Amino acid sequence: MRKENWKAWCWAAGIRALRTMAQSAIAALGTGAAFYTVDWKAVGAVALMAGVLSILMSLSGLPEVQS
């Protein structure tokens, strides 16, 4: 992979991971708020794991980045 493609892939994968982390954190907060308690460690762990999984899934390819 060329250097330009590598930078584009990192940018696109990072944006995708941040969006996924935000979505999962909001879902975890909503679930906790429904039971009148929010476990912030659990919210952080869920968001972090979602970000890691997003990066791993991006290894198979991103439609935003041309090969």
Side-chain angles (χ1 to χ4, degrees):
M1 190 179 332
R2 293 189 348 229
K3 188 175 183 179
E4 296 82 24
N5 286 350
W6 177 251
K7 286 181 182 180
W9 183 90
C10 285
W11 181 259
I15 294 296
R16 188 177 280 220
L18 284 174
R19 287 180 181 170
T20 302
M21 291 172 70
Q23 290 169 350
S24 62
I26 290 169
L29 281 172
T31 303
F35 296 112
Y36 302 107
T37 180
V38 175
D39 183 4
W40 290 102
K41 288 182 184 179
V43 170
V46 166
L48 183 63
M49 184 57 68
V52 169
L53 290 174
S54 176
I55 294 293
L56 291 175
M57 291 298 295
S58 294
L59 290 175
S60 65
L62 291 172
E64 300 93 341
V65 180
Q66 301 281 335
S67 300

